[in-house]
Amino acid sequence: SETALGDAERLQAATLFRRAVVDPLETAWSRAGPGVRGECRRALLRAVRLEPSRAGRRVLVAAIAAVASADDVEPWADVVPEVFAMCGEAAEQPQRQQETACWLLSELVGTRYAAAIQERRTELGRLVMTGLQTPALSAAAVGLVCEMVLASDVDGVREMQSVLPAMEASMRSLAQGDGDAFVEVLQNLIACAGDKAAFFKPRFTEWVDLMLSFAAARGTLQDAARRLGLEFVSSLVESKAKGALLKAVPDLPGRVLIVAFGFLGELEEGDAQRWARIDEDIEEDDDEGLHRAGEANVDLFVRRFGFPLVKTTLATLLQR
């Protein structure tokens, strides 16, 4: 039951189980017989349904994904049906089950279970749209969409573009909530933009506007989220879709340089002295603050757009 052990004990138990599966030196999972593995799988599904804490469920999801993806044992035949069953259950905590299902599908959609998931595309689409329209589920739903895009071919990416407006609304909502969850979702979107920039092509203008608004939200969003907002745009700029991006947002070079130069000017107390002492040739410095992000992105944008496109904006900014 949920109360048999405390949160810390359940979290530790799930972590230890996952290590036993994925640690190549431990091999306890591959040594177990099919009967033992079957009972463990059933126990994991029961546990993730009952687990009340988000941290505990995340570890259990990782354990289930490790078990399902273990190459040296038989596939988990009913894992996909069991995940979708969570979404349809009349549970006491339906949103908790739906969030867990989104996490599990995010882990499985790029694996040998992809075909089984696609066979249930109607249920999958319903879960995604429910998640995007429900604030408590939107982070998990956006993460699931990103993993689906990354695992899809060109036609699959095109089919999913219809969810872009709902994702934009979810991102605006997430920006007002848990800062850490928002940062995690931005990281997922950056991975998606870097590898499958064409997914955003029908709404390049809207996504650039959205992400630059996050980058400019000084005093409202965490610096990490603001930095990632600009990084999303830079990922699009570095992609093969740069030409289409410039066609959709012709004033993009000037806009991103203004934001990047703004980052350069945001030195916290004591930062000016610290930066004065930094040798720019020392590669070991891995500072990820806004100043460093601004510096890196000014260089990237000038290099990717070419000096003729940015010279006017650069001259204006350097005179300030």
Side-chain angles (χ1 to χ4, degrees):
S1 72
E2 294 186 5
T3 58
L5 295 173
D7 288 353
E9 288 83 359
R10 292 196 309 275
L11 184 61
Q12 184 178 32
T15 301
L16 291 173
F17 182 89
R18 178 178 177 275
R19 287 178 182 172
V21 175
V22 302
D23 189 344
L25 300 179
E26 193 61 33
T27 64
W29 180 251
S30 58
R31 289 202 308 267
V36 172
R37 289 196 293 266
E39 183 55 38
C40 287
R41 288 164 173 163
R42 290 188 289 273
L44 280 170
L45 289 171
R46 286 195 299 270
V48 81
R49 283 188 174 97
L50 293 172
E51 177 57 47
S53 76
R54 295 184 85 251
R57 283 186 291 125
R58 292 300 290 262
V59 174
L60 285 165
V61 164
I64 290 171
V67 168
S69 302
D71 292 329
D72 53 348
V73 299
E74 70 284 349
W76 189 344
D78 58 349
V79 65
V80 172
E82 289 285 355
V83 172
F84 279 105
M86 292 182 187
C87 308
E89 291 172 351
E92 294 181 7
Q93 300 288 340
Q95 288 188 3
R96 190 171 80 188
Q97 304 285 52
Q98 290 166 336
E99 182 179 51
T100 301
C102 285
W103 290 342
L104 283 166
L105 291 170
S106 295
E107 295 283 352
L108 298 175
V109 73
T111 70
R112 56 185 171 180
Y113 302 96
I117 293 171
Q118 283 302 313
E119 289 173 0
R120 309 182 72 132
R121 60 173 58 89
T122 299
E123 295 166 85
L124 179 62
R126 187 161 52 243
L127 174 63
V128 166
M129 291 310 299
T130 297
L132 292 175
Q133 295 167 2
T134 306
L137 301 176
S138 55
V142 173
L144 173 55
V145 172
C146 290
E147 292 300 328
M148 290 167 61
V149 170
L150 289 170
S152 295
D153 59 16
V154 173
D155 291 336
V157 168
R158 190 176 297 116
E159 288 177 7
M160 285 185 284
Q161 289 171 334
S162 61
V163 306
L164 284 167
M167 289 176 68
E168 294 156 24
S170 291
M171 291 304 295
R172 293 188 186 94
S173 175
L174 285 166
Q176 309 302 316
D178 182 352
D180 292 339
F182 185 53
V183 165
E184 182 178 351
V185 173
L186 285 169
Q187 291 169 334
N188 292 334
L189 287 165
I190 288 167
C192 193
D195 196 53
K196 296 290 179 69
F199 171 62
F200 301 94
K201 184 177 178 180
R203 296 182 66 83
F204 271 155
T205 301
E206 290 80 5
W207 278 88
V208 167
D209 289 347
L210 181 66
M211 290 298 178
L212 291 184
S213 73
F214 294 154
R218 184 176 187 179
T220 302
L221 295 180
Q222 295 178 9
D223 284 356
R226 296 178 58 207
R227 175 174 55 80
L228 291 171
L230 184 58
E231 186 176 335
F232 175 90
V233 179
S234 69
S235 295
L236 293 180
V237 170
E238 289 193 286
S239 74
K240 295 179 180 179
K242 187 188 72 170
L245 179 66
L246 276 173
K247 185 176 180 179
V249 193
D251 61 347
L252 181 62
R255 292 173 64 188
V256 292
L257 279 175
I258 289 171
V259 174
F261 265 81
F263 283 9
L264 280 171
E266 291 189 33
L267 291 176
E268 300 294 336
E269 184 177 354
D271 280 355
Q273 292 80 6
R274 180 171 64 86
W275 274 92
R277 294 193 301 268
I278 288 180
D279 182 347
E280 293 183 354
D281 293 330
I282 299 178
E283 296 181 358
E284 289 79 2
D285 180 70
D286 60 354
D287 180 81
E288 294 186 352
L290 289 178
H291 189 103
R292 173 66 80 183
E295 180 184 43
N297 278 288
V298 167
D299 177 70
L300 183 150
F301 294 137
V302 171
R303 176 166 42 84
R304 294 294 293 173
F305 290 128
F307 187 71
L309 274 182
V310 301
K311 62 182 180 181
T312 301
T313 302
L314 272 178
T316 301
L317 291 169
L318 290 172
Q319 289 172 7
R320 289 183 179 179

